[in-house]
Protein backbone atom coordinates (compact mmCIF):
# COMPACT_ATOMS: atom_id res chain seq x y z
CA UNK A 1 0.00 0.00 0.00
CA UNK A 2 1.27 3.43 -0.89
CA UNK A 3 0.13 5.54 2.06
CA UNK A 4 0.73 8.90 0.44
CA UNK A 5 -1.59 8.04 -2.45
CA UNK A 6 -4.56 7.52 -0.13
CA UNK A 7 -7.28 10.11 0.44
CA UNK A 8 -8.10 11.26 3.95
CA UNK A 9 -11.26 9.17 4.08
CA UNK A 10 -9.19 6.13 3.08
CA UNK A 11 -6.61 6.95 5.77
CA UNK A 12 -9.44 7.18 8.30
CA UNK A 13 -10.62 3.69 7.35
CA UNK A 14 -7.12 2.23 7.67
CA UNK A 15 -6.74 3.81 11.10
CA UNK A 16 -10.08 2.45 12.18
CA UNK A 17 -9.31 -1.07 10.99
CA UNK A 18 -5.88 -0.77 12.63
CA UNK A 19 -4.11 -1.51 9.34
CA UNK A 20 -2.17 1.69 9.96
CA UNK A 21 -1.12 3.69 13.00
CA UNK A 22 -0.81 7.46 13.20
CA UNK A 23 3.02 7.29 13.29
CA UNK A 24 2.95 5.06 10.15
CA UNK A 25 1.01 7.72 8.30
CA UNK A 26 3.05 10.68 9.49
CA UNK A 27 6.32 8.87 8.77
CA UNK A 28 5.18 8.07 5.23
CA UNK A 29 4.41 11.73 4.60
CA UNK A 30 7.71 12.90 6.04
CA UNK A 31 9.56 10.41 3.82
CA UNK A 32 7.62 11.67 0.84
CA UNK A 33 8.45 15.29 1.68
CA UNK A 34 12.12 14.33 1.98
CA UNK A 35 11.93 12.66 -1.41
CA UNK A 36 9.93 15.23 -3.40
CA UNK A 37 10.40 18.65 -1.83
CA UNK A 38 13.72 19.29 -3.56
CA UNK A 39 11.92 19.07 -6.90
CA UNK A 40 8.56 20.63 -6.02
CA UNK A 41 9.55 23.35 -3.50
CA UNK A 42 6.08 23.60 -1.98
CA UNK A 43 6.95 24.43 1.63
CA UNK A 44 8.11 27.67 3.22
CA UNK A 45 8.38 25.95 6.62
CA UNK A 46 8.32 22.21 7.30
CA UNK A 47 7.31 20.98 10.73
CA UNK A 48 8.41 17.37 10.33
CA UNK A 49 10.16 16.95 13.71
CA UNK A 50 7.19 18.42 15.55
CA UNK A 51 4.84 16.25 13.48
CA UNK A 52 6.77 13.10 14.42
CA UNK A 53 6.50 13.92 18.08
CA UNK A 54 2.82 14.81 17.84
CA UNK A 55 2.11 11.55 15.99
CA UNK A 56 3.49 9.49 18.90
CA UNK A 57 1.64 11.59 21.50
CA UNK A 58 -1.67 11.43 19.70
CA UNK A 59 -1.35 7.70 19.00
CA UNK A 60 -0.79 7.12 22.71
CA UNK A 61 -3.76 9.23 23.70
CA UNK A 62 -5.99 7.49 21.17
CA UNK A 63 -4.91 4.04 22.37
CA UNK A 64 -5.63 5.03 25.97
CA UNK A 65 -9.02 6.28 24.91
CA UNK A 66 -8.21 9.84 25.99
CA UNK A 67 -9.16 11.19 22.58
CA UNK A 68 -11.24 9.59 19.89
CA UNK A 69 -11.65 12.20 17.18
CA UNK A 70 -12.25 10.89 13.68
CA UNK A 71 -9.41 13.06 12.42
CA UNK A 72 -6.88 12.53 15.20
CA UNK A 73 -3.42 12.18 13.69
CA UNK A 74 -4.36 13.05 10.09
CA UNK A 75 -1.69 15.37 8.62
CA UNK A 76 -2.37 18.60 6.74
CA UNK A 77 -0.50 21.50 5.12
CA UNK A 78 -1.51 25.14 5.54
CA UNK A 79 -1.00 28.07 3.17
CA UNK A 80 1.45 30.49 4.70
CA UNK A 81 -1.05 33.33 5.05
CA UNK A 82 -2.95 31.71 7.91
CA UNK A 83 -1.69 32.46 11.39
CA UNK A 84 -0.18 29.56 13.29
CA UNK A 85 0.80 30.26 16.88
CA UNK A 86 4.51 29.89 17.50
CA UNK A 87 5.25 29.06 13.85
CA UNK A 88 6.30 31.54 11.15
CA UNK A 89 3.54 33.02 8.99
CA UNK A 90 5.40 34.74 6.18
CA UNK A 91 2.84 35.29 3.37
CA UNK A 92 5.91 34.43 1.27
CA UNK A 93 7.08 38.01 1.79
CA UNK A 94 10.30 39.55 2.98
CA UNK A 95 8.04 41.85 4.99
CA UNK A 96 6.96 38.94 7.22
CA UNK A 97 10.03 36.73 6.80
CA UNK A 98 10.47 36.37 10.56
CA UNK A 99 6.93 36.99 11.73
CA UNK A 100 5.70 34.51 14.32
CA UNK A 101 1.98 34.81 14.93
CA UNK A 102 0.99 35.06 18.58
CA UNK A 103 -2.33 33.31 17.90
CA UNK A 104 -3.96 30.71 15.66
CA UNK A 105 -6.36 31.55 12.85
CA UNK A 106 -9.84 30.21 13.62
CA UNK A 107 -9.52 27.53 10.94
CA UNK A 108 -6.19 26.42 12.43
CA UNK A 109 -7.73 26.31 15.90
CA UNK A 110 -10.48 24.09 14.53
CA UNK A 111 -7.92 21.68 13.03
CA UNK A 112 -5.98 21.64 16.30
CA UNK A 113 -9.15 20.81 18.21
CA UNK A 114 -9.41 17.70 16.04
CA UNK A 115 -5.76 16.78 16.73
CA UNK A 116 -4.91 17.15 13.07
CA UNK A 117 -1.15 17.42 12.55
CA UNK A 118 0.29 20.39 10.67
CA UNK A 119 3.16 19.22 8.42
CA UNK A 120 4.10 22.75 7.44
CA UNK A 121 3.34 26.11 5.89
CA UNK A 122 2.94 26.18 2.13
CA UNK A 123 4.37 28.52 -0.45
CA UNK A 124 2.25 31.16 -2.22
CA UNK A 125 2.46 34.34 -4.24
CA UNK A 126 3.47 37.19 -1.93
CA UNK A 127 0.40 38.25 0.07
CA UNK A 128 -1.68 35.97 -2.23
CA UNK A 129 -1.25 38.33 -5.17
CA UNK A 130 -0.56 36.32 -8.27
CA UNK A 131 -1.53 33.32 -10.29
CA UNK A 132 1.62 31.22 -10.49
CA UNK A 133 3.41 31.24 -7.08
CA UNK A 134 6.37 32.82 -8.88
CA UNK A 135 5.88 35.99 -6.81
CA UNK A 136 6.99 34.26 -3.62
CA UNK A 137 9.98 36.00 -2.03
CA UNK A 138 11.46 32.61 -1.10
CA UNK A 139 11.13 30.12 -3.94
CA UNK A 140 9.28 29.08 -7.04
CA UNK A 141 7.05 26.07 -6.53
CA UNK A 142 6.91 23.64 -9.45
CA UNK A 143 4.04 21.69 -10.91
CA UNK A 144 4.31 17.94 -10.08
CA UNK A 145 2.88 17.08 -13.52
CA UNK A 146 5.77 18.87 -15.22
CA UNK A 147 8.44 20.55 -13.15
CA UNK A 148 9.02 23.23 -15.79
CA UNK A 149 5.46 24.48 -15.37
CA UNK A 150 3.95 26.67 -12.67
CA UNK A 151 1.56 25.08 -10.15
CA UNK A 152 -0.77 28.08 -10.50
CA UNK A 153 -1.40 30.50 -7.70
CA UNK A 154 -1.59 31.99 -5.34
CA UNK A 155 -2.13 28.76 -3.34
CA UNK A 156 0.40 26.97 -5.57
CA UNK A 157 2.28 25.43 -2.64
CA UNK A 158 -0.94 23.92 -1.29
CA UNK A 159 -2.07 22.48 -4.64
CA UNK A 160 1.40 21.16 -5.55
CA UNK A 161 1.89 19.56 -2.12
CA UNK A 162 -1.43 17.71 -2.39
CA UNK A 163 -0.74 16.64 -6.00
CA UNK A 164 2.75 15.43 -5.07
CA UNK A 165 1.42 13.42 -2.11
CA UNK A 166 3.44 15.46 0.40
CA UNK A 167 0.27 16.23 2.37
CA UNK A 168 -3.07 14.39 2.09
CA UNK A 169 -4.96 17.70 1.98
CA UNK A 170 -4.33 21.37 2.52
CA UNK A 171 -5.92 24.73 3.18
CA UNK A 172 -5.73 27.49 0.60
CA UNK A 173 -7.28 30.93 0.28
CA UNK A 174 -9.15 32.36 -2.67
CA UNK A 175 -9.63 36.07 -3.40
CA UNK A 176 -9.98 35.82 -7.17
CA UNK A 177 -9.31 32.17 -7.92
CA UNK A 178 -6.32 31.22 -5.80
CA UNK A 179 -7.76 27.89 -4.65
CA UNK A 180 -9.47 26.85 -7.87
CA UNK A 181 -6.86 27.85 -10.47
CA UNK A 182 -3.90 26.06 -8.81
CA UNK A 183 -6.16 23.07 -8.09
CA UNK A 184 -6.96 22.91 -11.80
CA UNK A 185 -3.29 23.27 -12.81
CA UNK A 186 -2.25 20.48 -10.42
CA UNK A 187 -5.11 18.02 -11.09
CA UNK A 188 -6.65 18.22 -7.61
CA UNK A 189 -9.94 19.44 -6.14
CA UNK A 190 -10.24 23.03 -4.87
CA UNK A 191 -13.30 24.54 -3.22
CA UNK A 192 -13.94 28.23 -2.65
CA UNK A 193 -16.82 28.42 -0.17
CA UNK A 194 -19.55 31.08 -0.13
CA UNK A 195 -18.28 34.37 1.31
CA UNK A 196 -19.00 34.18 5.04
CA UNK A 197 -19.18 30.40 5.38
CA UNK A 198 -15.63 30.07 6.75
CA UNK A 199 -14.10 32.47 9.27
CA UNK A 200 -11.34 34.73 7.95
CA UNK A 201 -10.01 35.48 11.43
CA UNK A 202 -6.26 35.00 11.35
CA UNK A 203 -6.05 34.97 7.55
CA UNK A 204 -3.71 37.79 6.54
CA UNK A 205 -6.06 40.11 4.67
CA UNK A 206 -5.56 40.79 0.96
CA UNK A 207 -9.01 42.02 -0.19
CA UNK A 208 -11.39 41.49 2.71
CA UNK A 209 -14.64 41.56 0.76
CA UNK A 210 -13.38 38.79 -1.53
CA UNK A 211 -11.09 36.55 0.59
CA UNK A 212 -12.23 33.07 1.62
CA UNK A 213 -10.38 30.05 3.02
CA UNK A 214 -11.14 26.63 1.54
CA UNK A 215 -9.98 23.03 1.06
CA UNK A 216 -7.58 21.66 -1.54
CA UNK A 217 -7.94 17.89 -1.61
CA UNK A 218 -7.43 14.76 -3.70
CA UNK A 219 -11.13 14.13 -4.13
CA UNK A 220 -14.57 15.61 -3.58
CA UNK A 221 -15.34 13.50 -0.52
CA UNK A 222 -12.29 14.92 1.27
CA UNK A 223 -13.35 18.40 0.22
CA UNK A 224 -16.68 17.85 2.00
CA UNK A 225 -14.90 16.50 5.06
CA UNK A 226 -12.56 19.46 5.34
CA UNK A 227 -15.39 21.92 4.74
CA UNK A 228 -17.27 20.25 7.62
CA UNK A 229 -14.31 21.02 9.84
CA UNK A 230 -13.75 24.66 8.92
CA UNK A 231 -17.25 26.03 8.20
CA UNK A 232 -19.25 27.88 10.82
CA UNK A 233 -19.90 31.19 12.48
CA UNK A 234 -17.10 32.85 14.40
CA UNK A 235 -17.62 35.81 16.68
CA UNK A 236 -14.13 37.01 15.75
CA UNK A 237 -15.20 37.49 12.10
CA UNK A 238 -18.33 39.61 11.88
CA UNK A 239 -18.79 38.71 8.21
CA UNK A 240 -19.10 35.02 9.07
CA UNK A 241 -22.58 33.64 8.60
CA UNK A 242 -24.82 32.18 11.31
CA UNK A 243 -26.20 29.47 9.08
CA UNK A 244 -26.84 26.14 10.68
CA UNK A 245 -24.10 23.54 10.36
CA UNK A 246 -24.61 20.80 7.81
CA UNK A 247 -22.72 17.60 7.08
CA UNK A 248 -21.40 18.13 3.56
CA UNK A 249 -20.69 14.43 3.02
CA UNK A 250 -24.43 13.70 3.20
CA UNK A 251 -25.14 15.49 -0.08
CA UNK A 252 -22.85 13.25 -2.16
CA UNK A 253 -25.52 11.21 -3.90
CA UNK A 254 -23.83 10.32 -7.19
CA UNK A 255 -26.94 11.46 -9.01
CA UNK A 256 -27.56 14.53 -11.16
CA UNK A 257 -30.89 13.55 -12.72
CA UNK A 258 -32.93 16.67 -13.36
CA UNK A 259 -30.10 18.99 -12.31
CA UNK A 260 -30.30 22.20 -14.32
CA UNK A 261 -26.88 23.23 -15.59
CA UNK A 262 -26.31 26.63 -17.18
CA UNK A 263 -23.36 27.02 -19.55
CA UNK A 264 -22.41 30.69 -20.04
CA UNK A 265 -21.21 31.14 -23.61
CA UNK A 266 -18.81 33.98 -22.70
CA UNK A 267 -16.64 31.43 -20.89
CA UNK A 268 -16.19 29.34 -24.02
CA UNK A 269 -15.38 32.18 -26.37
CA UNK A 270 -12.11 33.42 -27.84
CA UNK A 271 -9.09 33.08 -25.60
CA UNK A 272 -10.08 29.72 -24.17
CA UNK A 273 -7.65 27.02 -25.23
CA UNK A 274 -9.18 24.52 -27.67
CA UNK A 275 -8.17 21.45 -25.69
CA UNK A 276 -9.61 22.95 -22.50
CA UNK A 277 -12.84 23.68 -24.36
CA UNK A 278 -13.03 20.15 -25.81
CA UNK A 279 -12.47 18.57 -22.41
CA UNK A 280 -15.18 20.72 -20.84
CA UNK A 281 -17.60 19.90 -23.63
CA UNK A 282 -16.99 16.22 -23.04
CA UNK A 283 -17.69 16.61 -19.32
CA UNK A 284 -20.89 18.52 -20.08
CA UNK A 285 -22.01 15.73 -22.42
CA UNK A 286 -21.37 13.26 -19.62
CA UNK A 287 -23.65 15.28 -17.35
CA UNK A 288 -26.29 15.19 -20.03
CA UNK A 289 -26.00 11.41 -20.32
CA UNK A 290 -26.39 11.20 -16.55
CA UNK A 291 -29.73 12.97 -16.78
CA UNK A 292 -28.85 16.63 -16.19
CA UNK A 293 -30.50 19.34 -18.25
CA UNK A 294 -28.01 21.55 -20.07
CA UNK A 295 -28.70 25.01 -21.41
CA UNK A 296 -26.46 27.66 -22.88
CA UNK A 297 -27.03 31.23 -21.72
CA UNK A 298 -25.36 34.61 -21.64
CA UNK A 299 -23.57 36.00 -18.60
CA UNK A 300 -22.24 39.05 -20.38
CA UNK A 301 -21.28 41.12 -17.32
CA UNK A 302 -18.54 38.55 -16.90
CA UNK A 303 -16.74 40.50 -19.62
CA UNK A 304 -16.24 43.29 -17.09
CA UNK A 305 -15.43 41.10 -14.11
CA UNK A 306 -11.68 41.08 -14.51
CA UNK A 307 -11.40 44.87 -14.60
CA UNK A 308 -13.83 45.17 -11.70
CA UNK A 309 -11.92 42.61 -9.69
CA UNK A 310 -8.54 44.26 -10.15
CA UNK A 311 -9.93 47.65 -9.10
CA UNK A 312 -11.68 46.36 -5.98
CA UNK A 313 -8.95 43.90 -4.98
CA UNK A 314 -6.18 46.49 -5.36
CA UNK A 315 -8.18 49.17 -3.53
CA UNK A 316 -8.75 46.88 -0.57
CA UNK A 317 -5.16 45.63 -0.68
CA UNK A 318 -3.77 49.15 -0.59
CA UNK A 319 -5.75 49.78 2.58
CA UNK A 320 -5.09 46.38 4.22
CA UNK A 321 -1.36 46.51 3.58
CA UNK A 322 -1.06 49.94 5.18
CA UNK A 323 -0.38 48.18 8.48
CA UNK A 324 3.02 46.98 7.28
CA UNK A 325 4.84 50.19 8.08
CA UNK A 326 8.07 48.99 9.65
CA UNK A 327 6.87 50.07 13.08
CA UNK A 328 4.20 47.72 14.29
CA UNK A 329 5.60 44.43 13.05
CA UNK A 330 7.40 42.87 10.16
CA UNK A 331 10.49 44.08 8.34
CA UNK A 332 12.14 47.35 9.37
CA UNK A 333 14.80 48.99 7.21
CA UNK A 334 18.12 49.28 9.00
CA UNK A 335 19.41 52.74 8.26
CA UNK A 336 16.30 54.93 8.24
CA UNK A 337 16.80 58.30 9.93
CA UNK A 338 13.28 59.63 10.38
CA UNK A 339 9.82 58.19 10.90
CA UNK A 340 8.91 58.93 7.32
CA UNK A 341 12.07 57.22 6.15
CA UNK A 342 11.25 54.11 8.22
CA UNK A 343 7.88 53.85 6.46
CA UNK A 344 9.33 54.50 3.06
CA UNK A 345 12.40 52.30 3.21
CA UNK A 346 10.75 49.42 5.06
CA UNK A 347 7.96 49.24 2.54
CA UNK A 348 10.25 49.74 -0.45
CA UNK A 349 12.59 46.99 0.70
CA UNK A 350 10.00 44.66 2.29
CA UNK A 351 7.46 44.35 -0.53
CA UNK A 352 8.03 42.74 -3.92
CA UNK A 353 7.17 44.25 -7.31
CA UNK A 354 3.68 42.79 -7.71
CA UNK A 355 2.59 43.85 -4.23
CA UNK A 356 3.86 47.38 -4.86
CA UNK A 357 2.07 47.46 -8.20
CA UNK A 358 -1.22 46.59 -6.45
CA UNK A 359 -0.73 49.13 -3.66
CA UNK A 360 -0.03 51.88 -6.18
CA UNK A 361 -2.98 50.88 -8.37
CA UNK A 362 -5.27 50.66 -5.35
CA UNK A 363 -4.20 54.01 -3.98
CA UNK A 364 -4.76 55.55 -7.39
CA UNK A 365 -8.32 54.21 -7.84
CA UNK A 366 -9.22 55.41 -4.34
CA UNK A 367 -7.70 58.88 -4.74
CA UNK A 368 -10.22 61.72 -4.66
CA UNK A 369 -9.83 62.66 -8.33
CA UNK A 370 -10.34 59.11 -9.63
CA UNK A 371 -12.62 57.53 -7.04
CA UNK A 372 -15.82 58.03 -9.04
CA UNK A 373 -14.31 56.95 -12.33
CA UNK A 374 -12.80 53.72 -11.01
CA UNK A 375 -13.67 52.56 -7.51
CA UNK A 376 -17.29 53.71 -7.48
CA UNK A 377 -17.84 52.42 -11.00
CA UNK A 378 -16.33 49.07 -10.06
CA UNK A 379 -18.72 48.79 -7.10
CA UNK A 380 -21.63 49.50 -9.42
CA UNK A 381 -20.49 46.82 -11.84
CA UNK A 382 -20.06 44.48 -8.87
CA UNK A 383 -23.77 44.89 -8.15
CA UNK A 384 -24.58 44.12 -11.78
CA UNK A 385 -22.49 40.95 -11.65
CA UNK A 386 -24.33 39.84 -8.50
CA UNK A 387 -27.70 40.56 -10.07
CA UNK A 388 -26.91 38.64 -13.23
CA UNK A 389 -25.88 35.62 -11.20
CA UNK A 390 -29.03 35.92 -9.07
CA UNK A 391 -31.07 35.86 -12.23
CA UNK A 392 -29.17 32.89 -13.61
CA UNK A 393 -29.76 30.94 -10.41
CA UNK A 394 -33.50 31.43 -10.74
CA UNK A 395 -33.17 29.12 -13.73
CA UNK A 396 -30.15 26.92 -13.08
CA UNK A 397 -28.88 24.88 -10.12
CA UNK A 398 -25.26 25.19 -11.15
CA UNK A 399 -23.17 27.03 -13.73
CA UNK A 400 -20.32 25.24 -15.46
CA UNK A 401 -17.19 26.89 -16.91
CA UNK A 402 -13.52 26.11 -17.38
CA UNK A 403 -11.51 26.98 -14.24
CA UNK A 404 -8.79 28.63 -16.28
CA UNK A 405 -8.50 29.43 -20.00
CA UNK A 406 -5.34 27.33 -20.25
CA UNK A 407 -3.51 24.50 -18.53
CA UNK A 408 -0.42 25.25 -16.42
CA UNK A 409 2.04 27.48 -18.28
CA UNK A 410 5.85 27.48 -18.34
CA UNK A 411 7.71 28.97 -15.41
CA UNK A 412 8.85 32.48 -16.35
CA UNK A 413 6.48 32.85 -19.30
CA UNK A 414 4.18 35.47 -17.75
CA UNK A 415 6.13 37.25 -15.03
CA UNK A 416 7.23 40.05 -17.32
CA UNK A 417 3.67 40.77 -18.46
CA UNK A 418 1.30 41.37 -15.53
CA UNK A 419 -1.75 41.66 -17.78
CA UNK A 420 -1.12 38.20 -19.22
CA UNK A 421 -0.89 36.86 -15.68
CA UNK A 422 -4.15 38.62 -14.70
CA UNK A 423 -5.90 36.98 -17.66
CA UNK A 424 -5.47 33.53 -16.13
CA UNK A 425 -8.10 34.61 -13.55
CA UNK A 426 -10.71 35.47 -16.14
CA UNK A 427 -12.93 32.47 -15.33
CA UNK A 428 -12.67 32.63 -11.55
CA UNK A 429 -12.95 36.27 -10.39
CA UNK A 430 -16.71 36.72 -11.02
CA UNK A 431 -17.41 34.14 -8.33
CA UNK A 432 -15.56 36.18 -5.69
CA UNK A 433 -17.17 39.41 -6.84
CA UNK A 434 -20.58 37.81 -6.29
CA UNK A 435 -19.56 35.96 -3.09
CA UNK A 436 -20.59 32.58 -4.51
CA UNK A 437 -19.26 29.07 -3.88
CA UNK A 438 -17.37 27.27 -6.66
CA UNK A 439 -15.37 24.09 -6.96
CA UNK A 440 -12.70 23.08 -9.46
CA UNK A 441 -12.33 19.41 -10.30
CA UNK A 442 -10.02 17.77 -12.82
CA UNK A 443 -11.94 16.66 -15.92
CA UNK A 444 -9.14 15.41 -18.17
CA UNK A 445 -5.63 16.11 -19.45
CA UNK A 446 -4.39 17.84 -22.61
CA UNK A 447 -2.13 16.33 -25.27
CA UNK A 448 0.92 17.17 -23.12
CA UNK A 449 -0.57 15.32 -20.19
CA UNK A 450 -1.37 18.46 -18.19
CA UNK A 451 -4.56 18.47 -16.08
CA UNK A 452 -7.62 20.47 -17.16
CA UNK A 453 -9.98 21.90 -14.54
CA UNK A 454 -13.72 22.34 -14.63
CA UNK A 455 -15.43 24.93 -12.45
CA UNK A 456 -18.89 24.38 -10.98
CA UNK A 457 -20.47 27.53 -9.55
CA UNK A 458 -23.39 27.40 -7.12
CA UNK A 459 -25.83 29.84 -5.64
CA UNK A 460 -24.97 31.33 -2.23
CA UNK A 461 -24.64 28.65 0.45
CA UNK A 462 -25.47 25.91 -2.06
CA UNK A 463 -22.17 24.09 -1.52
CA UNK A 464 -24.11 20.84 -1.33
CA UNK A 465 -25.37 21.18 -4.90
CA UNK A 466 -21.93 21.78 -6.43
CA UNK A 467 -20.27 19.13 -4.25
CA UNK A 468 -22.79 16.51 -5.37
CA UNK A 469 -22.46 17.49 -9.03
CA UNK A 470 -18.65 17.39 -8.74
CA UNK A 471 -18.77 14.05 -6.95
CA UNK A 472 -21.04 12.54 -9.58
CA UNK A 473 -18.69 13.49 -12.42
CA UNK A 474 -15.68 12.36 -10.43
CA UNK A 475 -17.22 8.88 -10.03
CA UNK A 476 -17.62 8.72 -13.78
CA UNK A 477 -14.28 10.18 -14.92
CA UNK A 478 -12.13 8.50 -12.25
CA UNK A 479 -9.37 11.02 -12.85
CA UNK A 480 -7.16 9.95 -9.95
CA UNK A 481 -7.30 6.31 -10.99
CA UNK A 482 -6.44 7.15 -14.59
CA UNK A 483 -3.84 9.92 -14.29
CA UNK A 484 -0.98 10.60 -11.90
CA UNK A 485 1.67 13.33 -11.84
CA UNK A 486 4.93 12.28 -13.46
CA UNK A 487 7.43 14.80 -12.03
CA UNK A 488 9.01 15.05 -15.48
CA UNK A 489 11.18 17.97 -16.59
CA UNK A 490 12.91 20.24 -14.14
CA UNK A 491 16.04 21.09 -16.07
CA UNK A 492 15.75 24.87 -15.63
N1 LIG B 1 -4.58 35.62 -9.16
C1 LIG B 1 -5.50 36.55 -8.55
C2 LIG B 1 -4.76 37.80 -8.13
O1 LIG B 1 -3.64 37.87 -8.45
C3 LIG B 1 -6.20 35.90 -7.41
C4 LIG B 1 -5.44 35.88 -6.17
C5 LIG B 1 -6.14 35.20 -5.06
O2 LIG B 1 -7.20 34.61 -5.25
N2 LIG B 1 -5.56 35.31 -3.87
O3 LIG B 1 -5.28 38.68 -7.52
Amino acid sequence: MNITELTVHELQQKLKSKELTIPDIVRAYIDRINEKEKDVQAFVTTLTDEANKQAKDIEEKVSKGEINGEFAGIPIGIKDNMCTKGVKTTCSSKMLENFIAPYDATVVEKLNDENIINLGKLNMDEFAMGGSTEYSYFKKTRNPWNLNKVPGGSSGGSAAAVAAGMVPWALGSDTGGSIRQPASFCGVVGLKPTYGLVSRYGLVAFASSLDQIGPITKDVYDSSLLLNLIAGQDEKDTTSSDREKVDYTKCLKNDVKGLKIGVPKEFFAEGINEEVKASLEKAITTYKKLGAEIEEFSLDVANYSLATYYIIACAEASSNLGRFDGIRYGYRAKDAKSLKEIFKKSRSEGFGTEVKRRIILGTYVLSSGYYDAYYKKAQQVRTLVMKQFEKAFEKYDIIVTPTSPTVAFDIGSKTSNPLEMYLSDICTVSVNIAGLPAISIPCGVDSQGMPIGMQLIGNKFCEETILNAAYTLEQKIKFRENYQPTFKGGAN
Side-chain angles (χ1 to χ4, degrees), residues 364-381:
Y364 177 79
V365 299
L366 288 174
S367 62
S368 61
Y370 295 97
Y371 183 93
D372 284 354
Y374 296 108
Y375 186 72
K376 194 171 155 204
K377 194 50 121 339
Q379 293 293 9
Q380 287 164 337
V381 179

Side-chain angles (χ1 to χ4, degrees), residues 6 19 37-39 61 63 94 105 147 150 163 173 209 253 255 305 363 381 384 408 434 439 447 451 458 461 466 491:
L6 301 176
E19 266 176 88
E37 176 59 4
K38 59 179 186 314
D39 289 335
K61 284 193 182 132
S63 62
K94 182 177 176 183
L147 299 170
V150 302
S173 71
S209 77
K253 301 263 180 344
D255 181 8
S305 288
T363 309
V381 179
L384 292 179
I439 191 167
S447 48
F461 298 106
I466 53 172

